[in-house]
Amino acid sequence: MFHSMSERAAWFSPVRVVALVVLLLSGYGMRAEAAISAPVITSPTTASGTAGVAFSYQIAATEDPTSFVAAGLPSGLSLNASTGLISGIPAVEGNTNVSIGASNAFGTGAGGVNIAIAGASGPPVISSPSFASATVGVAFNNQIVASHSPFSYSATNLPTGLSLSVTTGQISGTPLIEGTWSATIAATNLVGTATESLAITVNGATPTVPGTQPQITNSLNTSGRVGTTFSYAIQATNAPTSYGAVGLPSGLSVDAGSGLITGTPTTSAITDVTISATNADGTDSETLRISIATSSGTPPPGAPNQTAKGSSCGAGSGLSVLLLGVCWALQAMFVARGRTR
């Protein structure tokens, strides 16, 4: 605080006021100048590459450029005007002076870069093995390896099911037919093309080892009633990983993970169902006969061991032949007595 008017007057002397104004204007001018500056190119003025080999060069500049330009690029190269990245595969050797620029809302900064592209040192030399083996039904991969930066590849007479990536030289696929193929492979750069033979032997599918695939072990006959909950578990050896049941009676379904057939039958009938158990080594299938009686217990039409109409002696009662004969004799006697009355 000022203690007197004289102190206040001394503080706000004309000299001090002028100095303060000059200082403020100077600072504003510096900030304004920084805010409206055009970009300045800062990236290197030289770059090098090789014909047929991927090339990249990033234009760098100050002041947050929003767009870039490049004039006189070597054949095969192009510019991303938003990012300033020059990239591509040079097609010819030589030195090229390229004019580059970076722009923002306040102007453009210009610069240049000399791009020296060397020629390929020679044609490709294929060094990958001249033979390979595969198996029917098994994924196959084989890489063509060659020196001097090939930019394309080719292959003829490949086994059925295999194909080639012309840009990477990768042969891949799943062979379908057993046999031996003599393929011709090639790698190309700007200087020339190299070719070699590749013998591919496709072996037959590996046979399943006996005893390792599942074997269904439980009874292949079962029964149930309409309207009553039904349950049957498929059981098999060698740790099945999945189960199946085709042709189930209406109302029943199978759990593929556990092999449990459950549900509530809706129709009285005899149904032959194909059940299966599967693991990595194979599948075992069997026919399961499911007999669904009516809700009252009457066997379905065509069921074996049915009791004859009007008879109380059924062949499926479990009686011995002798007892069965006695049963029929007693029934005949009762019928005869009824007729004489």
Side-chain angles (χ1 to χ4, degrees), residues 279-299:
N279 65 14
D281 296 312
T283 298
D284 182 33
S285 298
E286 300 289 348
T287 299
L288 169 66
R289 173 158 290 189
I290 301 178
S291 299
I292 302 299
T294 65
S295 58
S296 62
T298 302

